Amino acid sequence: MKTEKNSSEKSSAPRRVRRRSPGSRRLTADVATAVKAALEKKALDVVVLDLRNTPAFTDFFVLCSGLNQRQVKAIADAVEETLRAAKVRPAHIEGYDRAEWVLMDFFTFIVHVFTPQTRQFYSLERLWGDAERIEVSDAPSTGETAS
């Protein structure tokens, strides 16, 4: 009976963490960590696109904006540093010097940090319209830090 309790406790803990917002129960821990890091740097319009049911080369896109190039770099730095602390390193980072669109490739997910004008111009949400769109609240959940 104790083993049943322990196994149900183990499975219920991650569910609590993942119920932060509609659809987020399906985010991986690394994606949730990236989202939290971006939100802590005041990223705007944070959206996660679930690409697992599309013919895509990755599972998730994390899309967010910074008001200016300095904020775009701060968001990208925070995402990289936070994930690096969790021993997750990007395979590739592109666009950091110009800071109009920073792309961080973590294989199973890609983080895109834009200036508002660049995000509107490229409109990845429209291009990947088949993907499930997961809206992320502006306030990071305290439950996320438990994972």
Side-chain angles (χ1 to χ4, degrees), residues 87-98:
K87 302 199 183 322
V88 178
R89 297 178 185 267
H92 186 71
I93 297 176
E94 227 176 280
Y96 185 85
D97 292 335
R98 291 199 53 200

Side-chain angles (χ1 to χ4, degrees), residues 35 38 43-49 60-65 101 110-114 119 123-126 128 133-134 136:
V35 166
L44 304 172
D45 303 321
V46 181
V47 173
V48 177
L49 298 180
F60 296 97
F61 277 174
V62 176
L63 306 170
C64 62
S65 300
W101 175 2
I110 297 175
V111 177
H112 300 270
V113 187
F114 297 95
R119 184 171 181 173
S123 188
L124 291 186
E125 292 98 326
R126 182 185 54 79
W128 290 94
R133 182 183 174 109
I134 302 170
V136 179

Side-chain angles (χ1 to χ4, degrees), residues 25-103:
R25 67 190 186 286
R26 296 160 63 184
L27 294 182
T28 64
D30 293 338
V31 172
T33 300
V35 166
K36 181 180 177 197
L39 289 171
E40 287 177 351
K41 289 297 179 182
K42 311 290 186 214
L44 304 172
D45 303 321
V46 181
V47 173
V48 177
L49 298 180
D50 185 342
L51 302 169
R52 291 177 289 187
N53 293 325
T54 66
F57 46 87
T58 190
D59 292 341
F60 296 97
F61 277 174
V62 176
L63 306 170
C64 62
S65 300
L67 289 175
N68 52 49
Q69 292 171 322
R70 180 178 285 180
Q71 187 182 16
V72 166
K73 283 186 174 185
I75 294 166
D77 289 342
V79 169
E80 182 179 11
E81 290 168 14
T82 303
L83 287 169
R84 193 172 293 255
K87 302 199 183 322
V88 178
R89 297 178 185 267
H92 186 71
I93 297 176
E94 227 176 280
Y96 185 85
D97 292 335
R98 291 199 53 200
E100 293 286 331
W101 175 2
V102 178
L103 180 147

